[in-house]
Amino acid sequence: MEFDALLLSRLQFAFTIAFHILFPAFTIGLAAFLAVLEGLWLWTKRDAFKVLYLFWVKIFALSFGMGVVSGVVLSYQFGTNWSEFIRLTGGVIGPLLAYEVLTAFFLEASFLGVMLFGWKKVGPRLHFAATCLVAVGTTISAFWILSANSWMQTPQGFEIMADGRFQATDFIQVIFNPSFPSRLTHMLLAAFLTTGLAVGAASAYRVLKERGEPPVRGWTESRIALVMAIGLIVIVAPLQLVAGHWSGVVAHEHQPAKTAALEGYWQSRADQPLHLFGIPDRDAQKNHFEVSVPGVGNWIQNVPKDEVIQGLDAWPRDDQPPPFIPFIGFRIMVGLGLLMIALGAVGALLIWRRRLFDSPWFLRWCVAMGPSGFIAVLAGWMVTEVGRQPWLVYGVLRTRDAVSPVTTAEVAASLTAYVIVYAVVFTAGALFILRLMAEGPVAALTEPAPRQDRAPGSALAKAPQDTTPGKGE
């Protein structure tokens, strides 16, 4: 492996996008959670829902801000490190990214201020509408970003001009490319799961801390949030398994080399096995320490048992994706997904038996599973992006042909700077968020408990009476 400008540019983009994707994966689901909390409070007038909203909106604001900052860095890298990619594909990718700004970012920016600072300045319906619109904005943002990335995975609706530039011929085909529906569904469900696991972990931590003690402020709210989180996980985790299988079927049809890499298939054959574990070796073209289940691979891929599934031997060595990261990342993602399904099922059973809060082992399990959503998202994106190599636009534009004409020293210097700055800024931000989570909903109780008969915006203070002599007489 030669650390040239190409490899360092890939590492730099991988490093920055790994930080960035964590925040949208959290805020997409958290915005929807906040909308549900405020809707429940308006409907039931229970103060616990308002307290939970005020608590989690602080974490949302911090996460949203860090997501915006890290996203801006990515857009700059398109020009600094991947200028050839933008020059060649800008006619297709550019409009999709512009639509994301015009439809999603403007919507979020317009109503985020009302959502964060308008609690006592606007009426309850308007504030609830602002929260809902921010949640819609985060989903629209995911729509356009996933559309652009999916087009890079399964490109269609374009033609290549004489000078090598890509020109869109049908934007409907560009947007709704073959892998887009399954990948958008998979990503949105991943965002909801990530939020549910984080909320569940923070709430379970507070319930554990407060076990055996007299009820304190924030005690009820943590229990409500934990039940809501488990309810979300028990529904979404099995759906994610179905969506993931859907994505795998699409990849098998349109990106067979990626499928071969993540499944560890080296030889093209019918009746492929299911490799549970192994260490892929690209040089040896085989898996070491392989643990397999014979005759299951074709069934997993939804193809007849006698149909030949291509292995990596169907492509020249230079066209094979590096198999180690997709192979291991896929198993991390699936393994965590199965644990999430088990967590939701056991949690639902404990709720039904009214033993949820009296099961410290399960509460500790919830806390331990808190980071699993973020880890699964990172693993999934590694499978997607590394499995696409050596192509930046699959089958059309190689990654090595899209890099900027920069030197190795320049990229090494910028990568070092990114690592240092990110280590300071994002570590500080993440630690502050974790400290807030550990404090629990009591962090939102900086004011006297709100009255149950009041809604957001209705608690405006009365204007002071004018006592100037001669006035009002």
Side-chain angles (χ1 to χ4, degrees), residues 39-371:
L40 288 173
W41 184 65
L42 290 171
W43 181 33
T44 65
K45 297 299 187 294
R46 288 189 63 182
D47 289 338
F49 293 120
K50 178 180 178 180
V51 171
L52 283 171
Y53 181 99
L54 293 175
F55 169 62
W56 284 105
V57 78
K58 295 181 179 181
I59 296 172
F60 174 82
L62 290 167
S63 303
F64 187 88
M66 289 193 287
V68 170
V69 171
S70 58
V72 170
V73 171
L74 294 177
S75 64
Y76 276 109
Q77 284 187 65
F78 285 133
T80 58
N81 295 67
W82 303 99
S83 59
E84 280 299 294
F85 168 67
I86 292 300
R87 185 182 71 83
L88 295 173
T89 67
V92 179
I93 291 290
L96 301 182
L97 300 180
Y99 294 152
E100 191 266 340
V101 174
L102 291 173
T103 60
F105 191 76
F106 282 4
L107 183 65
E108 294 166 344
S110 298
F111 291 96
L112 184 64
V114 178
M115 176 183 173
L116 298 179
F117 308 111
W119 190 259
K120 294 184 179 180
K121 301 182 184 301
V122 299
R125 290 184 177 85
L126 179 56
H127 191 275
F128 178 56
T131 302
C132 291
L133 287 171
V134 170
V136 170
T138 60
T139 303
I140 294 175
S141 179
F143 177 95
W144 289 114
I145 297 301
L146 264 294
S147 177
N149 186 267
S150 296
W151 179 82
M152 295 165 64
Q153 305 284 339
T154 52
Q156 68 173 19
F158 71 98
E159 63 179 3
I160 300 179
M161 309 298 288
D163 60 357
R165 291 183 297 110
F166 291 51
Q167 177 175 299
T169 57
D170 188 337
F171 262 111
I172 296 299
Q173 288 190 11
V174 169
I175 296 169
F176 297 98
N177 56 80
S179 64
F180 171 64
S182 60
R183 296 186 69 241
L184 177 65
T185 303
H186 197 43
M187 185 62 210
L188 290 178
L189 291 176
F192 295 143
L193 266 178
T194 299
T195 299
L197 290 162
V199 171
S203 303
Y205 176 80
R206 290 309 312 170
V207 173
L208 275 171
K209 294 283 287 185
E210 296 160 4
R211 286 185 75 249
E213 298 180 2
V216 296
R217 297 187 72 180
W219 181 80
T220 301
E221 288 80 359
S222 295
R223 295 186 169 213
I224 291 174
L226 179 57
V227 172
M228 292 179 69
I230 292 173
L232 176 66
I233 295 168
V234 76
I235 295 172
V236 175
L239 293 177
Q240 182 69 311
L241 184 65
V242 176
H245 179 68
W246 180 18
S247 293
V249 171
V250 174
H252 171 74
E253 180 179 354
H254 296 278
Q255 297 176 292
K258 176 191 287 187
T259 300
L262 65 89
E263 294 291 355
Y265 298 152
W266 292 102
Q267 289 80 38
S268 301
R269 52 173 283 193
D271 196 20
Q272 289 276 15
L274 172 63
H275 298 310
L276 300 177
F277 179 76
I279 301 178
D281 186 337
R282 193 178 187 182
D283 294 330
Q285 297 282 288
K286 67 177 184 180
N287 300 322
H288 299 291
F289 310 109
E290 192 175 87
V291 179
S292 305
V293 180
V296 182
N298 283 48
W299 177 73
I300 293 292
Q301 298 298 327
N302 272 14
V303 298
K305 189 174 183 179
D306 58 352
E307 180 177 320
V308 173
I309 295 181
Q310 289 178 305
L312 290 172
D313 62 355
W315 291 270
R317 184 73 64 93
D318 289 344
D319 290 344
Q320 294 177 1
F324 181 81
I325 292 178
F327 184 87
I328 299 299
F330 179 69
R331 276 142 189 80
I332 292 173
M333 180 175 57
V334 173
L336 289 175
L338 295 176
L339 284 175
M340 294 171 194
I341 293 174
L343 181 75
V346 174
L349 177 63
L350 291 175
I351 291 173
W352 179 65
R353 298 181 64 181
R354 299 182 182 274
R355 295 181 56 187
L356 176 64
F357 309 119
D358 299 320
S359 303
W361 60 269
F362 179 77
L363 298 175
R364 294 189 184 95
W365 186 14
C366 288
V367 175
M369 288 290 289

Side-chain angles (χ1 to χ4, degrees), residues 413-454:
S414 61
L415 175 58
T416 302
Y418 277 125
V419 171
I420 295 172
V421 173
Y422 273 48
V424 175
V425 175
F426 289 102
T427 299
L431 289 176
F432 185 66
I433 289 175
L434 289 174
R435 191 179 74 176
L436 272 178
M437 287 184 174
E439 194 173 349
V442 71
L445 298 172
T446 57
E447 300 177 355
R451 286 174 50 182
Q452 292 186 0
D453 59 344
R454 293 198 176 185

